[in-house]
Amino acid sequence: MAEAQFRTPKGTHDILPDDHTYMTYLKKAVRHRCRQAGFKRIETPIFEKKDIFERTIGEHTDIVEKELFLVKSHHNKNDDDDDFALRPEFTASICRSYIEHGMQQLPQPVELYAIGPCFRHDRPQKGRYRQFNQFSLEVIGLSDPSLDAQLIHMLNKIFEDVRIRDRLTMQINNVGTAENREEYTSALKDFFIGKERNLPELDRKRLKTNPLRLLDSKEEDTQILLKSAPTLDQFIGEESKEYHNILLEFLDELGAEYVQNPNLVRGLDYYNQTVFEYWDIETKGKNAVGGGGRYDPLMEMLGGQPTPGLGFAGGMERIIWQMKQAGVQAPNKDHVDVFVAQLGPDAKKMCLALISELRDKGVHTLGALGEASLKSQMRLADKFKARYSLILGQMEVKEGVIILRDMEAGKQKKIPFDKAVPEIIKLLGPDKLDTYTLRDHMGE
Ligand code: HAM
């Protein structure tokens, strides 16, 4: 095969048809559970003012500092106000939309979900892409531990639906209020005075810009030092502790398993109180399949009224990887019921109408309308694993018949041409027909 001249950009990938069956299966599971719980779908632009991400996710987070894809056009190259970025996630955009469209007027909480591509200029490696897909669920406008518990329960159901829940653990923590974290951050900074030299370079930088990130550092030296450092839970207020305990009680009530992880802080600045992540049992925090938490300060960061919020995003590529590891076969409806083969100009004309009629009746039909020999058309029918073939040669046209071949049994018979459609429908069984139409969808 010739070497391709063009390839996908680094960190991106084509989702080929085989992988799309997994994508579709996962999206269906998400949509199904969202519909059951009254979530409504929202779609926001793929790019937004970059300010939106800087203010909410945080200027000193990896996502904003290193990973934003900036969008420049010929028209905005001199104007900072018009700096755009590809969305690295959905939450900030959804909250922007909530404020912009006055959704505080709606009954609260407003429950929204989005599915689509996000962009982070990460160093590409296994499970880390520059374009990846997320599903994001957001519950905005009310704060109550029962909402946190319900969201987590719903996610458990989605992971059960795609049959990977038992490959994951759900790690949970409460990071308190912004004031709690400020006090803790300054205690942490004090603790490290004189010890900076013992920290790896990256963590020395983090200590200056975002000290909380030290807690989930993968560096062994940092983890050893942290053993004698003050811990976040010493700074969490009574109210947050109570919130957390009630949430855990609710999770117990729902039979939702969790692992309490006092070091879980998450890499985005907008969180307070509850944070949680789903980890692979073996690889743990590396390549989490999803994460979320409560983000009560976010609306104000965007200039809105104080409004509590809670949400979660799952990384679809990572979930699909888990499904494949678990040996899950994504069901698909791409099978071919009938392959129509023809020879000669009259047969071709008649087959065009026949193919169209079969498809309209819900029969998955392929037809080779090129000029190939009947033998090579039958080879194609085999390759597509067609259940039946309908074969129309010049002789059959003259006789007003068509050959119906059962591909599995290797048996064939001649039937009247105008009986071809009802005969196929009888053989397949009316309940096997794919008769979905747009009209069904509109409930007409
Ligand atoms: P996040 O933890 O930054 O949270 O991302 C959520 C998930 O997206 C990750 O757990 C991971 O599965 C996937 N993901 C992130 N970056 C990449 C990447 N470079 N390649 C592949 N997958 C990736 C958020 O985005 C928050 N908005 C979640 C949230 C919603 N919090 C509240 N509401």
Side-chain angles (χ1 to χ4, degrees):
M1 225 192 305
E3 177 83 7
Q5 192 183 356
F6 294 110
R7 296 184 162 273
T8 49
K10 205 169 159 189
T12 69
H13 52 273
D14 298 318
I15 304 173
L16 297 174
D18 278 351
D19 266 343
H20 238 292
T21 58
Y22 284 89
M23 205 48 110
T24 308
Y25 184 43
L26 175 56
K27 278 185 194 168
K28 273 192 180 160
V30 172
R31 288 206 304 258
H32 172 70
R33 291 295 175 183
C34 283
R35 264 201 312 273
Q36 281 182 336
F39 281 62
K40 297 272 166 53
R41 184 145 177 191
I42 183 171
E43 203 142 332
T44 58
I46 280 180
F47 64 95
E48 298 262 4
K49 286 248 170 96
K50 93 176 193 310
D51 229 23
I52 287 178
F53 305 119
E54 281 173 353
R55 285 199 203 182
T56 57
I57 297 169
E59 272 185 274
H60 296 299
T61 56
D62 284 354
I63 299 179
V64 166
E65 215 167 48
K66 301 188 204 144
E67 297 167 6
L68 273 192
F69 268 97
L70 299 181
V71 180
K72 285 270 176 206
S73 81
H74 291 298
H75 304 286
N76 70 356
K77 59 188 164 196
N78 297 320
D79 186 351
D80 279 349
D81 282 349
D82 280 348
D83 269 353
F84 297 109
L86 298 183
R87 64 178 180 218
E89 55 120 43
F90 283 103
T91 313
S93 306
I94 292 176
C95 289
R96 190 258 317 125
S97 181
Y98 179 95
I99 299 170
E100 187 174 336
H101 298 286
M103 291 190 216
Q104 59 273 28
Q105 307 304 331
L106 301 173
Q108 308 289 308
V110 173
E111 295 178 306
L112 299 167
Y113 76 104
I115 304 177
C118 297
F119 305 83
R120 295 184 191 179
H121 200 275
D122 236 335
R123 199 159 53 82
Q125 49 190 291
K126 190 168 156 287
R128 263 176 200 279
Y129 308 110
R130 290 184 175 171
Q131 177 175 343
F132 57 98
N133 289 277
Q134 272 193 352
F135 64 86
S136 199
L137 274 58
E138 313 295 344
V139 181
I140 307 173
L142 267 188
S143 173
D144 190 283
S146 63
L147 293 173
D148 305 32
Q150 263 185 334
L151 178 69
I152 289 169
H153 187 51
M154 191 171 156
L155 297 166
N156 285 341
K157 292 282 175 196
I158 292 173
F159 289 129
E160 275 168 24
D161 290 343
V162 298
R163 285 170 274 161
I164 62 165
R165 179 66 187 94
D166 56 358
R167 298 178 55 84
L168 309 175
T169 61
M170 199 272 285
Q171 309 278 317
I172 192 164
N173 193 19
N174 186 302
V175 292
T177 61
E179 296 79 55
N180 296 157
R181 285 196 306 285
E182 247 164 60
E183 278 174 35
Y184 175 58
T185 304
S186 73
L188 205 57
K189 280 186 169 164
D190 288 349
F191 169 81
F192 276 105
I193 291 174
K195 303 186 183 72
E196 294 96 333
R197 274 174 297 114
N198 303 325
L199 284 173
E201 195 189 327
L202 179 67
D203 284 344
R204 223 178 302 148
K205 232 181 101 195
R206 280 181 171 152
L207 183 64
K208 285 207 188 97
T209 57
N210 197 353
L212 275 186
R213 294 300 295 173
L214 290 183
L215 296 194
D216 56 10
S217 164
K218 311 271 179 304
E219 304 284 350
E220 205 176 325
D221 290 348
T222 309
Q223 285 303 333
I224 291 171
L225 280 169
L226 279 172
K227 285 206 166 89
S228 45
T231 56
L232 177 58
D233 61 334
Q234 295 165 337
F235 291 79
I236 302 286
E238 278 313 309
E239 239 175 80
S240 303
K241 280 187 180 156
E242 201 185 318
Y243 189 97
H244 196 58
N245 288 336
I246 298 175
L247 167 58
L248 297 186
E249 265 176 42
F250 288 161
L251 289 177
D252 290 337
E253 181 65 27
L254 288 165
E257 284 177 22
Y258 53 84
V259 178
Q260 291 210 62
N261 182 343
N263 288 336
L264 187 73
V265 285
R266 307 263 304 129
L268 303 93
D269 281 0
Y270 51 59
Y271 290 113
N272 71 334
Q273 309 283 17
T274 312
V275 292
F276 59 98
E277 278 183 3
Y278 285 84
W279 289 4
D280 179 293
I281 285 177
E282 271 155 36
T283 57
K284 305 215 158 63
K286 194 168 178 285
N287 287 354
V289 302
R294 193 154 265 300
Y295 47 81
D296 303 330
L298 204 163
M299 287 291 178
E300 282 173 277
M301 292 169 166
L302 290 175
Q305 297 294 323
T307 312
L310 159 77
F312 167 88
M316 299 181 70
E317 283 76 5
R318 293 186 187 174
I319 293 172
I320 288 171
W321 185 85
Q322 293 284 346
M323 288 163 72
K324 288 184 178 169
Q325 290 303 108
V328 176
Q329 296 282 336
N332 73 64
K333 291 184 182 160
D334 293 340
H335 59 275
V336 177
D337 297 318
V338 175
F339 188 92
V340 178
Q342 49 72 42
L343 203 66
D346 292 335
K348 183 185 273 190
K349 212 187 268 172
M350 290 165 75
C351 284
L352 266 178
L354 177 64
I355 291 171
S356 163
E357 193 185 342
L358 283 164
R359 288 177 180 170
D360 267 356
K361 293 269 163 27
V363 179
H364 289 192
T365 312
L366 288 188
L369 294 175
E371 302 297 329
S373 70
L374 274 180
K375 206 168 171 191
S376 62
Q377 291 185 54
M378 293 318 290
R379 267 202 300 272
L380 267 183
D382 266 336
K383 275 205 182 131
F384 286 119
K385 299 195 173 72
R387 181 75 190 80
Y388 299 99
S389 285
L390 286 169
I391 307 156
L392 191 68
Q394 276 147 332
M395 280 292 288
E396 287 76 27
V397 172
K398 274 197 197 125
E399 290 172 24
V401 296
I402 191 163
I403 299 169
L404 168 63
R405 185 176 173 82
D406 182 326
M407 300 297 286
E408 230 166 65
K411 287 193 183 141
Q412 61 185 49
K413 61 177 179 187
K414 279 188 181 172
I415 56 170
F417 183 82
D418 53 8
K419 291 280 174 313
V421 176
E423 182 69 18
I424 289 285
I425 290 174
K426 199 170 90 194
L427 286 168
L428 291 173
D431 56 324
K432 291 283 181 327
L433 301 177
D434 189 357
T435 49
Y436 167 93
T437 66
L438 209 53
R439 241 174 289 131
D440 292 341
H441 197 61
M442 290 169 153
E444 281 176 23

